Amino acid sequence: QVQLQESGPGLVKPSETLSLTCTVSNYFIGSGFYWGWIRQAPGQGLEWIGTISHRESTYYNPFLQSRVTISLDTSKNQFFLRVTSVAATDTALYYCARGFSGSPDYFEYWGLGTLVTVSS
Amino acid sequence: IVMTQSPATLSVSPGERATLSCRASQSVRTNLAWYQQKPGQAPRLLIYSASTRATGVPARFSGSGSETEFTLTISSLQSEDFAVYYCQQYNNWPPRVTFGPGTKVDIK
């Protein structure tokens, strides 16, 4: 069973950079599939942030694209999220997930999420 | 593409049928999924390609629709089915994913 676990600082100051890591177990991320980040503000719905392929092609939510970078490190079997110039509106539970098929379509396996609060 | 879901909240008695709607602002063909999210849990993929159940999903869950109108039906609600349900579409190119705002199914 594929497992994903998010990690990173729980508190980030406004205007600074949010950096999260997703560690994948029981599947080598370099073998295939797409890997994504999704967030959920408190009491709100799901928002797609972006997706990276195992070949490192990236696709971003156009509303976040200017501030977001997703990358991966196959040697560590991890992929990463970086969001610059954060504001209170970036406070959310951040999930990493694995795609369902060979297309960047649906998300089958999810981490438990990590809460990031943006506050001074 | 903007996704809308209705109703925002659906109150249903156990054993009853629940019908949830999802609408896309333009055609997504059948590139649509449904997820279930329970409090404190990550979303769970229920239906993909509009009508195919994901592995392990009970047969009481069914999806239908195409283009801009989609439906998730839960034929006989069980206690474990009370949750929030999200639809999600994806574009082939450029690859984009959009979630709907969700429908909360609660106990009547």
Side-chain angles (χ1 to χ4, degrees):
Chain A
Q1 176 87 350
V2 179
Q3 293 182 319
L4 300 96
Q5 184 168 358
E6 306 87 352
S7 59
L11 182 65
V12 181
K13 290 182 169 55
S15 80
E16 295 190 345
T17 296
L18 178 165
S19 296
L20 297 176
T21 298
C22 183
T23 302
V24 180
S25 303
N26 302 324
Y27 188 84
F28 176 53
I29 64 173
S31 293
F33 290 101
Y34 288 75
W35 306 88
W37 288 96
I38 301 98
R39 70 183 184 180
Q40 186 169 34
Q44 302 301 309
L46 301 167
E47 181 180 32
W48 174 66
I49 301 171
T51 297
I52 187 167
S53 75
H54 68 288
R55 297 183 188 276
E56 302 190 69
S57 297
T58 52
Y59 314 98
Y60 298 122
N61 182 326
F63 294 103
L64 300 171
Q65 184 162 359
S66 63
R67 299 192 295 125
V68 169
T69 304
I70 297 175
S71 58
L72 59 80
D73 184 340
T74 55
S75 69
K76 296 181 179 179
N77 220 35
Q78 295 175 328
F79 63 105
F80 310 98
L81 172 68
R82 189 167 173 266
V83 182
T84 60
S85 304
V86 297
T89 50
D90 293 307
T91 293
L93 187 62
Y94 284 76
Y95 292 103
C96 61
R98 194 194 83 171
F100 173 73
S101 69
S103 298
D105 45 22
Y106 316 118
F107 298 103
E108 182 176 19
Y109 294 100
W110 296 64
L112 295 178
T114 188
L115 180 63
V116 177
T117 301
V118 178
S119 175
S120 55
Chain B
I1 296 177
V2 177
M3 307 300 292
T4 56
Q5 290 185 243
S6 61
T9 303
L10 184 62
S11 297
V12 185
S13 299
E16 288 188 340
R17 183 186 192 91
T19 302
L20 289 67
S21 296
C22 174
R23 177 174 291 180
S25 60
Q26 63 190 72
S27 174
V28 299
R29 297 190 291 178
T30 56
N31 296 333
L32 187 108
W34 290 93
Y35 297 83
Q36 176 193 66
Q37 187 178 33
K38 297 179 181 179
Q41 296 186 17
R44 173 194 178 194
L45 179 65
L46 293 178
I47 301 286
Y48 63 93
S49 299
S51 60
T52 305
R53 277 189 301 277
T55 302
V57 175
R60 64 181 181 272
F61 291 92
S62 63
S64 63
S66 64
E67 308 294 343
T68 61
E69 301 283 342
F70 300 88
T71 300
L72 174 69
T73 301
I74 311 171
S75 60
S76 176
L77 268 156
Q78 306 298 303
S79 57
E80 62 266 30
D81 300 336
F82 293 97
V84 179
Y85 293 84
Y86 295 95
C87 62
Q88 176 238 305
Q89 69 83 26
Y90 86 95
N91 287 345
N92 280 321
W93 190 261
R96 297 277 187 267
V97 166
T98 312
F99 290 92
T103 290
K104 182 180 181 181
V105 177
D106 64 16
I107 301 174
K108 188 174 183 180

